[in-house]
Coordinates of all heavy atoms in Angstrom, one line a residue:
M1121 N 115.3 100.2 104.7 CA 115.6 100.9 103.5 C 116.7 102.0 103.8 O 116.6 102.7 104.9 CB 114.4 101.6 103.0 CG 114.6 102.5 101.8 SD 113.1 103.3 101.1 CE 112.7 102.0 100.0
K1122 N 117.7 102.1 103.0 CA 118.8 103.1 103.1 C 118.6 104.3 102.3 O 118.3 104.1 101.1 CB 120.1 102.4 102.8 CG 120.4 101.2 103.7 CD 121.8 100.6 103.5 CE 122.4 100.6 102.2 NZ 123.7 99.8 102.1
I1123 N 118.7 105.5 102.8 CA 118.5 106.7 102.1 C 119.7 107.6 102.3 O 120.2 107.8 103.4 CB 117.2 107.4 102.7 CG1 116.0 106.5 102.5 CG2 117.0 108.8 102.0 CD1 114.7 107.1 103.1
L1124 N 120.1 108.1 101.1 CA 121.2 109.1 101.1 C 120.7 110.5 100.9 O 120.0 110.7 99.9 CB 122.2 108.8 100.0 CG 123.4 109.7 99.9 CD1 124.3 109.7 101.1 CD2 124.3 109.3 98.6
I1125 N 120.9 111.4 101.8 CA 120.5 112.8 101.8 C 121.6 113.6 101.3 O 122.7 113.6 101.9 CB 120.0 113.2 103.2 CG1 118.9 112.3 103.7 CG2 119.5 114.7 103.1 CD1 118.7 112.4 105.2
V1126 N 121.4 114.4 100.3 CA 122.4 115.3 99.8 C 121.9 116.7 99.8 O 121.1 117.1 99.0 CB 122.9 114.9 98.4 CG1 124.1 115.8 97.9 CG2 123.2 113.4 98.3
D1127 N 122.4 117.5 100.7 CA 122.0 118.9 100.8 C 123.1 119.7 101.6 O 123.7 119.1 102.5 CB 120.7 119.0 101.6 CG 120.0 120.4 101.4 OD1 120.6 121.4 101.6 OD2 118.8 120.3 101.0
D1128 N 123.3 120.9 101.2 CA 124.4 121.7 101.8 C 123.9 122.5 103.0 O 124.7 123.1 103.7 CB 125.0 122.7 100.8 CG 124.0 123.6 100.2 OD1 122.9 123.2 100.0 OD2 124.4 124.8 100.0
E1129 N 122.6 122.5 103.3 CA 122.1 123.2 104.5 C 121.9 122.2 105.6 O 121.0 121.3 105.6 CB 120.8 123.9 104.2 CG 121.0 125.0 103.2 CD 119.8 125.9 103.0 OE1 119.1 126.2 104.0 OE2 119.5 126.2 101.9
Q1130 N 122.8 122.3 106.7 CA 122.8 121.3 107.8 C 121.4 121.2 108.5 O 121.0 120.1 108.9 CB 123.9 121.6 108.8 CG 124.1 120.5 109.8 CD 124.6 119.2 109.2 OE1 125.5 119.2 108.4 NE2 124.0 118.1 109.5
A1131 N 120.7 122.3 108.6 CA 119.4 122.3 109.3 C 118.4 121.5 108.5 O 117.6 120.7 109.1 CB 118.9 123.7 109.4
I1132 N 118.4 121.5 107.2 CA 117.5 120.7 106.4 C 117.9 119.2 106.5 O 117.0 118.4 106.6 CB 117.5 121.2 104.9 CG1 116.9 122.6 104.8 CG2 116.8 120.2 104.0 CD1 117.0 123.2 103.5
V1133 N 119.2 119.0 106.4 CA 119.7 117.6 106.6 C 119.2 117.0 107.9 O 118.7 115.9 107.9 CB 121.2 117.5 106.4 CG1 121.7 116.1 106.8 CG2 121.6 117.8 105.0
D1134 N 119.4 117.8 109.0 CA 119.0 117.3 110.3 C 117.5 117.0 110.4 O 117.1 116.0 110.9 CB 119.4 118.3 111.4 CG 120.9 118.4 111.5 OD1 121.7 117.5 111.1 OD2 121.4 119.4 112.1
L1135 N 116.7 117.9 109.8 CA 115.3 117.7 109.9 C 114.8 116.5 109.1 O 114.1 115.7 109.6 CB 114.6 119.0 109.3 CG 113.1 119.0 109.3 CD1 112.5 119.0 110.7 CD2 112.5 120.2 108.6
I1136 N 115.3 116.3 107.9 CA 115.0 115.1 107.1 C 115.5 113.9 107.8 O 114.8 112.9 107.9 CB 115.6 115.3 105.7 CG1 114.9 116.4 104.9 CG2 115.4 114.0 104.9 CD1 115.6 116.8 103.6
K1137 N 116.7 113.9 108.2 CA 117.3 112.7 108.9 C 116.6 112.3 110.1 O 116.3 111.1 110.3 CB 118.8 113.1 109.2 CG 119.6 112.0 109.7 CD 121.1 112.4 109.9 CE 122.0 111.5 110.5 NZ 122.1 110.2 110.0
I1138 N 116.2 113.2 111.0 CA 115.5 112.9 112.2 C 114.1 112.2 111.9 O 113.8 111.2 112.5 CB 115.3 114.1 113.1 CG1 116.6 114.5 113.7 CG2 114.2 113.9 114.2 CD1 116.6 115.9 114.4
N1139 N 113.4 112.8 110.9 CA 112.1 112.3 110.6 C 112.2 110.9 109.9 O 111.3 110.1 110.2 CB 111.3 113.3 109.7 CG 110.8 114.4 110.5 OD1 109.8 114.3 111.3 ND2 111.4 115.6 110.4
L1140 N 113.1 110.7 109.1 CA 113.3 109.4 108.4 C 113.7 108.4 109.4 O 113.2 107.2 109.4 CB 114.2 109.5 107.2 CG 113.8 110.3 106.0 CD1 114.9 110.4 105.0 CD2 112.6 109.6 105.4
E1141 N 114.6 108.7 110.3 CA 115.1 107.7 111.3 C 113.9 107.4 112.3 O 113.9 106.2 112.7 CB 116.3 108.2 112.0 CG 117.5 108.2 111.0 CD 118.8 108.7 111.6 OE1 118.8 109.3 112.7 OE2 119.8 108.6 111.0
M1142 N 113.1 108.3 112.6 CA 111.9 108.0 113.5 C 111.0 107.0 112.8 O 110.3 106.3 113.5 CB 111.2 109.3 113.8 CG 111.9 110.2 114.8 SD 111.1 111.7 115.2 CE 109.3 111.5 115.0
E1143 N 111.0 107.0 111.5 CA 110.1 106.0 110.8 C 110.9 104.7 110.5 O 110.3 103.8 109.8 CB 109.7 106.7 109.4 CG 108.7 107.8 109.6 CD 107.4 107.5 110.4 OE1 106.9 106.4 110.1 OE2 106.9 108.3 111.2
G1144 N 112.1 104.6 110.9 CA 112.8 103.3 110.8 C 113.8 103.2 109.6 O 114.3 102.2 109.4
F1145 N 114.0 104.3 108.9 CA 114.9 104.3 107.8 C 116.3 104.5 108.2 O 116.6 105.2 109.2 CB 114.6 105.4 106.8 CG 113.2 105.2 106.1 CD1 112.1 105.9 106.5 CD2 113.1 104.3 105.1 CE1 110.9 105.8 105.9 CE2 111.8 104.1 104.5 CZ 110.7 104.8 104.9
N1146 N 117.3 103.9 107.5 CA 118.7 104.1 107.8 C 119.1 105.3 106.9 O 118.8 105.2 105.7 CB 119.5 102.9 107.4 CG 119.2 101.7 108.3 OD1 119.0 101.9 109.5 ND2 119.2 100.5 107.8
T1147 N 119.8 106.3 107.4 CA 120.2 107.4 106.6 C 121.7 107.7 106.7 O 122.3 107.4 107.6 CB 119.4 108.7 107.0 OG1 119.8 109.0 108.4 CG2 117.9 108.5 106.9
E1148 N 122.2 108.3 105.6 CA 123.5 108.8 105.5 C 123.3 110.2 104.8 O 122.4 110.4 104.2 CB 124.3 107.9 104.6 CG 125.6 107.2 105.0 CD 126.3 107.6 106.2 OE1 127.0 108.6 106.3 OE2 126.2 106.8 107.2
F1149 N 124.3 111.1 105.0 CA 124.2 112.4 104.3 C 125.5 112.8 103.8 O 126.6 112.4 104.2 CB 123.6 113.4 105.3 CG 124.5 113.8 106.4 CD1 125.3 115.0 106.2 CD2 124.6 113.2 107.6 CE1 126.2 115.4 107.2 CE2 125.5 113.6 108.6 CZ 126.3 114.7 108.4
C1150 N 125.4 113.7 102.8 CA 126.5 114.4 102.2 C 126.1 115.9 102.1 O 125.0 116.2 101.9 CB 126.8 113.9 100.8 SG 127.1 112.2 100.7
I1151 N 127.1 116.8 102.2 CA 126.9 118.2 102.1 C 127.4 118.8 100.8 O 127.3 120.0 100.6 CB 127.4 119.0 103.4 CG1 128.9 118.8 103.5 CG2 126.6 118.6 104.6 CD1 129.5 119.7 104.5
C1152 N 127.9 118.0 100.0 CA 128.4 118.5 98.7 C 128.2 117.4 97.6 O 128.1 116.2 98.0 CB 129.8 119.0 98.7 SG 131.1 117.8 99.0
G1153 N 128.2 117.8 96.4 CA 128.0 116.8 95.3 C 129.1 115.8 95.1 O 128.8 114.6 94.8
L1154 N 130.3 116.3 95.2 CA 131.5 115.4 95.0 C 131.5 114.3 96.1 O 131.8 113.2 95.8 CB 132.8 116.2 95.0 CG 132.9 117.1 93.8 CD1 134.2 117.9 93.9 CD2 132.9 116.3 92.5
D1155 N 131.1 114.7 97.3 CA 131.0 113.7 98.4 C 130.0 112.7 98.1 O 130.2 111.5 98.3 CB 130.8 114.4 99.7 CG 130.9 113.5 100.9 OD1 131.6 112.5 100.9 OD2 130.3 113.9 102.0
A1156 N 128.8 113.1 97.5 CA 127.8 112.2 97.2 C 128.2 111.2 96.1 O 127.9 110.0 96.2 CB 126.5 112.9 96.7
I1157 N 128.9 111.7 95.1 CA 129.4 110.8 94.0 C 130.4 109.8 94.6 O 130.4 108.6 94.1 CB 130.1 111.7 92.9 CG1 129.1 112.5 92.2 CG2 130.9 110.8 92.0 CD1 129.6 113.6 91.3
D1158 N 131.1 110.1 95.6 CA 132.1 109.2 96.2 C 131.4 108.2 97.2 O 131.7 107.0 97.2 CB 133.1 110.0 97.0 CG 134.2 109.1 97.7 OD1 134.8 108.3 97.0 OD2 134.3 109.2 98.9
K1159 N 130.4 108.7 97.9 CA 129.7 107.9 99.0 C 128.7 107.0 98.4 O 128.5 105.9 98.9 CB 129.1 108.8 100.0 CG 128.6 108.1 101.3 CD 128.1 109.0 102.3 CE 129.3 109.6 103.1 NZ 128.9 110.3 104.3
A1160 N 127.9 107.4 97.4 CA 126.8 106.6 96.9 C 127.2 105.1 96.5 O 126.5 104.2 96.9 CB 126.1 107.3 95.8
P1161 N 128.3 105.0 95.7 CA 128.7 103.6 95.3 C 129.1 102.7 96.5 O 129.0 101.5 96.5 CB 129.8 103.8 94.4 CG 129.8 105.2 94.0 CD 129.1 105.9 95.1
K1162 N 129.6 103.3 97.6 CA 130.0 102.6 98.8 C 128.8 102.3 99.7 O 128.7 101.2 100.3 CB 131.0 103.4 99.6 CG 132.3 103.6 98.8 CD 133.2 104.6 99.5 CE 134.4 104.9 98.6 NZ 135.1 106.1 99.1
Y1163 N 127.9 103.2 99.8 CA 126.7 103.1 100.7 C 125.6 102.3 100.1 O 124.9 101.6 100.7 CB 126.3 104.5 101.2 CG 125.1 104.5 102.1 CD1 125.2 103.9 103.4 CD2 123.9 105.1 101.8 CE1 124.2 103.9 104.3 CE2 122.9 105.2 102.7 CZ 123.0 104.6 103.9 OH 121.9 104.6 104.8
I1164 N 125.5 102.4 98.8 CA 124.4 101.7 98.0 C 123.0 102.0 98.6 O 122.4 101.1 99.1 CB 124.7 100.2 97.8 CG1 126.1 99.9 97.3 CG2 123.6 99.6 96.8 CD1 126.4 100.4 95.9
P1165 N 122.6 103.2 98.6 CA 121.3 103.5 99.1 C 120.1 103.0 98.2 O 120.4 102.7 97.0 CB 121.2 105.1 99.1 CG 122.1 105.5 98.0 CD 123.2 104.4 98.0
D1166 N 119.0 102.9 98.8 CA 117.8 102.5 98.0 C 117.2 103.7 97.3 O 116.5 103.5 96.2 CB 116.7 101.9 98.9 CG 117.2 100.6 99.6 OD1 117.5 99.6 98.8 OD2 117.3 100.5 100.8
I1167 N 117.5 104.9 97.8 CA 117.0 106.1 97.1 C 117.9 107.2 97.6 O 118.5 107.2 98.7 CB 115.5 106.4 97.5 CG1 114.9 107.5 96.6 CG2 115.4 106.7 99.0 CD1 113.4 107.6 96.7
I1168 N 118.0 108.3 96.7 CA 118.8 109.4 97.1 C 117.9 110.7 97.0 O 117.2 110.9 96.1 CB 120.0 109.6 96.0 CG1 120.9 108.4 96.1 CG2 120.7 110.9 96.3 CD1 122.0 108.4 95.0
L1169 N 117.9 111.4 98.1 CA 117.2 112.7 98.2 C 118.3 113.8 97.9 O 119.2 114.0 98.7 CB 116.6 112.9 99.6 CG 115.6 111.9 100.0 CD1 115.1 112.3 101.4 CD2 114.4 111.8 99.0
L1170 N 118.1 114.5 96.8 CA 119.2 115.3 96.2 C 118.8 116.8 96.0 O 117.8 117.0 95.3 CB 119.7 114.7 94.9 CG 120.8 115.5 94.1 CD1 122.1 115.6 94.9 CD2 121.0 114.8 92.8
D1171 N 119.5 117.7 96.6 CA 119.3 119.1 96.4 C 119.9 119.5 95.0 O 120.9 118.9 94.6 CB 120.0 119.9 97.5 CG 119.7 121.4 97.4 OD1 118.8 121.8 96.6 OD2 120.4 122.1 98.2
V1172 N 119.3 120.3 94.3 CA 119.8 120.7 93.0 C 120.9 121.7 93.1 O 121.9 121.7 92.4 CB 118.6 121.3 92.1 CG1 119.2 121.9 90.8 CG2 117.6 120.3 91.8
M1173 N 120.8 122.7 94.0 CA 121.8 123.7 94.2 C 122.8 123.3 95.3 O 122.5 123.5 96.5 CB 121.1 125.0 94.5 CG 120.3 125.5 93.3 SD 119.4 127.0 93.7 CE 120.7 128.1 94.1
L1174 N 123.9 122.9 94.9 CA 125.0 122.5 95.9 C 126.2 123.4 95.7 O 126.3 124.0 94.6 CB 125.4 121.0 95.6 CG 124.3 120.0 95.9 CD1 124.7 118.6 95.3 CD2 124.0 119.9 97.3
P1175 N 127.1 123.5 96.7 CA 128.2 124.5 96.6 C 129.3 124.1 95.5 O 129.9 125.0 95.0 CB 128.8 124.5 98.0 CG 128.4 123.2 98.6 CD 127.0 122.8 98.0
D1176 N 129.5 122.9 95.2 CA 130.6 122.5 94.3 C 130.1 122.2 92.9 O 130.6 122.8 92.0 CB 131.4 121.4 94.9 CG 130.5 120.1 95.3 OD1 129.3 120.2 95.2 OD2 131.1 119.1 95.7
I1177 N 129.2 121.3 92.8 CA 128.6 120.9 91.5 C 127.1 120.8 91.6 O 126.6 120.7 92.7 CB 129.2 119.6 90.9 CG1 128.9 118.4 91.7 CG2 130.7 119.7 90.6 CD1 129.3 117.1 91.1
S1178 N 126.4 121.0 90.5 CA 124.9 120.9 90.6 C 124.4 119.5 90.9 O 125.1 118.5 90.6 CB 124.3 121.5 89.3 OG 124.4 120.5 88.3
G1179 N 123.2 119.5 91.4 CA 122.5 118.2 91.6 C 122.3 117.4 90.3 O 122.4 116.2 90.2
Y1180 N 122.2 118.2 89.2 CA 122.0 117.6 87.9 C 123.3 116.8 87.5 O 123.3 115.7 86.9 CB 121.7 118.6 86.8 CG 120.4 119.3 87.0 CD1 120.3 120.7 87.3 CD2 119.2 118.6 87.0 CE1 119.1 121.3 87.5 CE2 117.9 119.2 87.2 CZ 117.9 120.6 87.5 OH 116.7 121.2 87.8
E1181 N 124.4 117.4 87.8 CA 125.7 116.8 87.5 C 125.9 115.6 88.4 O 126.4 114.5 87.9 CB 126.9 117.8 87.7 CG 128.2 117.3 87.3 CD 128.3 117.0 85.8 OE1 127.6 117.7 85.0 OE2 129.1 116.1 85.4
V1182 N 125.5 115.6 89.6 CA 125.5 114.4 90.5 C 124.7 113.3 89.9 O 125.1 112.2 89.8 CB 125.0 114.8 91.9 CG1 124.9 113.5 92.8 CG2 125.9 115.8 92.6
C1183 N 123.5 113.7 89.4 CA 122.6 112.7 88.7 C 123.3 112.0 87.6 O 123.3 110.8 87.4 CB 121.3 113.3 88.2 SG 120.1 113.7 89.5
R1184 N 123.9 112.8 86.7 CA 124.6 112.3 85.5 C 125.8 111.3 86.0 O 126.0 110.3 85.4 CB 125.2 113.4 84.7 CG 124.2 114.0 83.8 CD 124.8 115.0 82.8 NE 125.2 116.2 83.3 CZ 124.4 117.3 83.6 NH1 123.1 117.2 83.3 NH2 124.9 118.4 84.1
N1185 N 126.5 111.7 87.0 CA 127.6 110.8 87.5 C 127.1 109.6 88.2 O 127.9 108.6 88.3 CB 128.5 111.6 88.4 CG 129.4 112.5 87.7 OD1 130.5 112.1 87.2 ND2 129.1 113.8 87.5
L1186 N 125.9 109.5 88.7 CA 125.4 108.4 89.5 C 124.4 107.5 88.7 O 124.0 106.5 89.2 CB 124.8 108.8 90.8 CG 125.8 109.4 91.8 CD1 125.0 109.9 93.1 CD2 126.9 108.5 92.2
Q1187 N 124.1 107.9 87.5 CA 123.1 107.1 86.8 C 123.4 105.7 86.5 O 122.5 104.8 86.5 CB 122.7 107.8 85.5 CG 123.8 107.8 84.4 CD 123.4 108.6 83.2 OE1 122.5 109.5 83.2 NE2 124.0 108.3 82.0
Y1188 N 124.7 105.3 86.5 CA 125.1 103.9 86.3 C 124.7 103.0 87.5 O 124.6 101.8 87.3 CB 126.6 103.9 86.1 CG 127.4 104.1 87.3 CD1 127.9 103.0 88.1 CD2 127.8 105.3 87.8 CE1 128.6 103.2 89.2 CE2 128.6 105.5 88.9 CZ 129.0 104.4 89.6 OH 129.7 104.6 90.8
L1189 N 124.4 103.7 88.7 CA 124.0 102.9 89.8 C 122.5 102.4 89.8 O 122.1 101.6 90.5 CB 124.2 103.7 91.1 CG 125.7 104.0 91.5 CD1 125.8 104.9 92.7 CD2 126.4 102.7 91.7
N1190 N 121.8 103.1 88.9 CA 120.3 102.8 88.7 C 119.6 102.9 90.0 O 118.8 102.1 90.4 CB 120.2 101.4 88.1 CG 118.9 101.3 87.4 OD1 118.3 102.3 87.0 ND2 118.4 100.1 87.3
I1191 N 119.9 104.0 90.8 CA 119.2 104.3 92.1 C 118.2 105.4 91.8 O 118.6 106.4 91.2 CB 120.2 104.7 93.1 CG1 121.2 103.5 93.4 CG2 119.5 105.1 94.4 CD1 122.4 103.9 94.3
P1192 N 117.0 105.3 92.3 CA 116.0 106.4 92.2 C 116.5 107.7 92.9 O 117.0 107.6 94.0 CB 114.7 105.9 92.8 CG 114.9 104.4 93.0 CD 116.4 104.2 93.0
I1193 N 116.4 108.8 92.2 CA 116.8 110.1 92.8 C 115.6 111.0 92.9 O 114.9 111.2 91.9 CB 118.0 110.7 92.0 CG1 119.2 109.8 92.0 CG2 118.3 112.1 92.6 CD1 120.3 110.2 91.2

């Protein structure tokens, strides 16, 4: 299973990434919303873990931009 982690706090990303990879998941991460909008269609994750408060655009805006992919967030 592929998981895209979107959070601007590197410590949180690292913690989530380490734990998911220990359980056998493939992970990718983004630290801003625009990067997530660009990366998600290329990576095609099975699920996206998304922070609401990002430095460039809100997580809600990311959701609106990615809804066409029909990926659980």
